[in-house]
Amino acid sequence: MAGSPQIVRTVPDLRARVAAWRAAGETVAMVPTMGALHAGHLSLVKLGLERASHVVASIFVNPAQFAPHEDFDAYPRGEGRDAALLGEAGCALIFAPGVAQMYPPGFATRVAVDGVSGPLEGEKRPQFFGGVATVVAKLLIQCGPDVALFGEKDYQQLLVIKRMARDLDLPTEIIGGPTVREADGLAMSSRNAYLSVEERKTAALVPVVMAQAVERLRAGVAAEAVEAEAIARLEAAGFGPVDYVQAHDGETMERLGPGPVGAGARLFVAAWLGKTRLIDNWAV
Ligand code: PAF
């Protein structure tokens, strides 16, 4: 049902609203976000409404998943715009806690997920998955949804959250939603807002390079060669550094190659364009 979503900022208020729905026999989906919403987030709200009576979206720029040198302060924020978009998409409730609500003085717990969080983002951003797993565990415990939805654009994050929810026996089904892309194929991301007009044109090369690399992997070309070619093409277009172009198993995140890769492989990319770090992944 479209309309202005109610905004709550405390865990008791969130729980009271969810309890009222539960008392009426209704179900709940949660879409955790850091705000700066785009069509990718809204597609998750739509998926949530297919799975539950109500969708709760959280908006919280989580300091625990940013390293001190990263873009926590610069991360785009705009609660009014986000609330309007969520309302149009049919979201009923927004949970927008402050930092003190999520991390009160003395907060000392961190959720660490081994295995799937090891490579790629785990190597490049060592603080990231601990911060994500901690905040998502808290959000799911605070809200208690039947299902929670996360975009496949952050595919490794989705695997980390699935593993965490299973390992901690959280009674929430974790569902991935397909990556939503701009007309030229660039994966939607809140951080695309950092790109200059020129950089935005160059960024469109990422899906082109990835699509061709995936075709080469499907044709049986060795992963090592495909990855090196893709990195060279991105660098030649002005990307740098290219943090990685790597094939990994889409369930275990085990590194694949150097030879041809088989079924279940996924190709991951992370590359800087000026001050913007773009990530994407494609199923092989
Ligand atoms: O993908 C994001 O926006 C964030 O990492 C998440 C899952 C909301 C946790 O802060």
Side-chain angles (χ1 to χ4, degrees):
M1 193 201 322
S4 253
Q6 185 190 354
I7 302 181
V8 293
R9 303 194 188 276
T10 69
V11 175
D13 286 349
L14 170 66
R15 287 197 169 136
R17 186 73 193 269
V18 171
W21 286 330
R22 295 264 177 238
E26 294 169 340
T27 53
V28 179
M30 185 173 213
V31 178
T33 82
M34 297 206 300
L37 303 182
H38 51 68
H41 298 108
L42 303 177
S43 73
L44 298 178
V45 172
K46 186 162 177 274
L47 275 180
L49 285 171
E50 288 167 13
R51 296 294 300 263
S53 328
H54 302 283
V55 171
V56 179
S58 61
I59 299 178
F60 179 62
V61 185
N62 173 32
Q65 67 191 71
F66 291 79
H69 64 277
E70 291 183 341
D71 57 342
F72 174 73
D73 290 330
Y75 199 85
R77 290 162 172 89
E79 190 179 278
R81 175 187 169 275
D82 289 341
L85 289 172
L86 288 168
E88 282 164 28
C91 169
L93 181 65
I94 296 173
F95 178 48
V99 173
Q101 175 68 208
M102 294 301 277
Y103 302 116
F107 186 89
T109 300
R110 198 161 169 91
V111 178
V113 180
D114 291 338
V116 287
S117 64
L120 302 180
E121 293 302 283
E123 278 172 13
K124 291 293 171 188
R125 304 182 65 197
Q127 80 300 328
F128 177 63
F129 285 129
V132 167
T134 304
V135 81
V136 173
K138 282 176 66 75
L139 289 167
L140 297 183
I141 291 166
Q142 290 162 340
C143 176
D146 300 279
V147 297
L149 300 106
F150 299 85
E152 285 184 353
K153 190 229 158 208
D154 296 293
Y155 189 87
Q156 190 179 10
Q157 167 176 279
L158 173 64
L159 290 187
V160 168
I161 292 167
K162 280 186 172 169
R163 182 77 262 162
M164 179 273 293
R166 271 202 300 271
D167 290 355
L168 298 182
D169 301 313
L170 298 183
T172 300
E173 184 187 350
I174 307 298
I175 298 172
T179 302
V180 177
R181 296 181 180 280
E182 304 283 359
D184 61 7
L186 181 66
M188 288 199 185
S189 163
S190 305
R191 288 189 168 99
N192 291 352
Y194 299 155
L195 295 166
S196 68
V197 173
E198 268 317 298
E199 286 169 346
R200 174 62 190 81
K201 286 184 200 152
T202 308
L205 192 66
V206 173
V208 173
V209 167
M210 288 293 278
Q212 289 170 359
V214 163
E215 280 314 312
R216 306 252 297 145
L217 289 173
R218 285 185 188 146
V221 180
E224 194 173 43
V226 173
E227 292 166 2
E229 286 161 13
I231 291 171
R233 284 189 69 189
L234 291 171
E235 285 176 347
F239 289 83
V242 177
D243 280 350
Y244 53 76
V245 176
Q246 284 183 15
H248 286 252
D249 183 274
E251 278 188 21
T252 63
M253 287 305 296
E254 185 194 342
R255 179 86 158 97
L256 300 177
V261 300
R266 259 188 123 83
L267 190 65
F268 294 81
V269 61
W272 287 88
L273 190 54
K275 293 195 177 96
T276 312
R277 187 169 183 269
L278 300 172
I279 66 169
D280 198 356
N281 67 91
W282 287 55
V284 177

